[in-house]
């Protein structure tokens, strides 16, 4: 990990916090080209009710528009959570040169944890993958979010039970 990787991962973490503020899973991404951030995005699946609204896909779409090409050959994507199969496919197909991620995803990670689609030699493009950059901080952000979500669901269930009980009386 170098200082620039940490700097840009912190920018991705800022995006993740934006997602968390709107009750989205806190995942953020930025794409860097020639040392500058050209796109930034955060998860919007719940907000848009769109299974494609992952931070990486939104950042890739924005970067393509910024560069004026679907080829992102000289870019680096920073993302707080290891890309899923869909995002890894989009990263590979858009030819992102390098992917740096924070927390590993044991349930869906396709950049080294479950499999590595990004360095698969049978594809016509491979990305360089750097894992674990600020991984503990990125992972903690996700753990805290899901812990709060479970607590909120538990409290909501308790409220509904109390209301149902009151309605019966």
């Amino acid at each position: 990990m170098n200082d620039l990787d940490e700097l840009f991962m912190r920018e991705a973490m800022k995006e993740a916090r934006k997602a968390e503020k709107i009750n989205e899973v806190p995942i953020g991404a930025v794409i860097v080209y020639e040392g500058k951030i050209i796109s930034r995005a955060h998860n919007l699946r719940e907000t848009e009710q769109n299974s494609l609204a992952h931070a990486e896909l939104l950042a890739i779409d924005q970067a393509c528009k910024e560069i004026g090409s679907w080829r992102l050959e000289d870019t680096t994507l920073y993302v707080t959570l290891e890309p899923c199969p869909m995002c890894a496919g989009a990263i590979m197909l858009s030819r992102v040169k390098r992917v740096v991620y924070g927390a590993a995803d044991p349930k869906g990670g396709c950049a080294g944890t479950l499999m590595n689609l990004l360095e698969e030699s049978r594809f016509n493009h491979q990305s360089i993958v750097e894992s674990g950059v600020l991984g503990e901080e990125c992972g903690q952000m996700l753990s805290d979010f899901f812990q709060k979500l479970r607590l909120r669901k538990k409290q909501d269930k308790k409220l509904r039970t109390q209301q149902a009980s009151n309605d019966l009386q």
Side-chain angles (χ1 to χ4, degrees):
M1 171 175 66
N2 64 47
D3 290 343
L4 281 178
D5 285 345
E6 191 172 313
L7 173 81
F8 290 126
M9 185 59 73
R10 290 206 183 280
E11 291 298 315
M13 291 172 72
K14 285 180 186 176
E15 287 298 312
R17 285 187 200 95
K18 289 178 186 176
E20 185 174 26
K21 284 180 183 173
I22 57 172
N23 293 318
E24 290 279 356
V25 176
I27 301 170
V30 298
I31 296 181
V32 175
Y33 176 69
E34 296 180 347
K36 294 185 298 199
I37 295 174
I38 60 166
S39 70
R40 50 176 68 236
H42 53 275
N43 239 20
L44 289 174
R45 278 193 321 177
E46 295 298 328
T47 302
E48 295 186 3
Q49 287 298 295
N50 182 344
S51 58
L52 302 176
H54 287 209
E56 300 96 318
L57 295 182
L58 297 170
I60 287 169
D61 185 51
Q62 192 180 82
C64 289
K65 290 173 183 168
E66 182 69 24
I67 287 179
S69 174
W70 62 269
R71 292 177 185 89
L72 301 177
E73 292 167 325
D74 294 318
T75 63
T76 299
L77 169 74
Y78 293 86
V79 62
T80 56
L81 180 66
E82 180 179 3
C84 71
M86 174 177 67
C87 292
I91 290 164
M92 185 264 303
L93 291 171
S94 60
R95 299 183 181 171
V96 170
K97 183 177 184 175
R98 186 168 170 256
V99 175
V100 179
Y101 70 86
D105 183 356
K107 294 182 178 180
C110 286
T113 299
L114 293 179
M115 63 185 67
N116 193 337
L117 293 176
L118 297 176
E119 294 180 323
E120 173 56 59
S121 62
R122 293 175 291 179
F123 289 126
N124 69 340
H125 176 79
Q126 293 81 42
S127 297
I128 299 162
V129 176
E130 304 281 340
S131 62
V133 174
L134 300 178
E136 277 187 41
E137 290 179 53
C138 292
Q140 192 62 54
M141 190 182 330
L142 287 157
S143 294
D144 292 349
F145 173 81
F146 285 114
Q147 186 176 22
K148 288 176 194 170
L149 183 64
R150 283 189 295 275
L151 181 61
R152 191 168 46 237
K153 285 183 177 182
K154 189 176 179 180
Q155 289 171 340
D156 288 350
K157 183 178 179 183
K158 187 176 176 181
L159 259 175
R160 284 192 306 275
T161 302
Q162 287 173 345
Q163 287 172 341
S165 177
N166 289 343
D167 290 346
L168 292 174
Q169 293 177 359

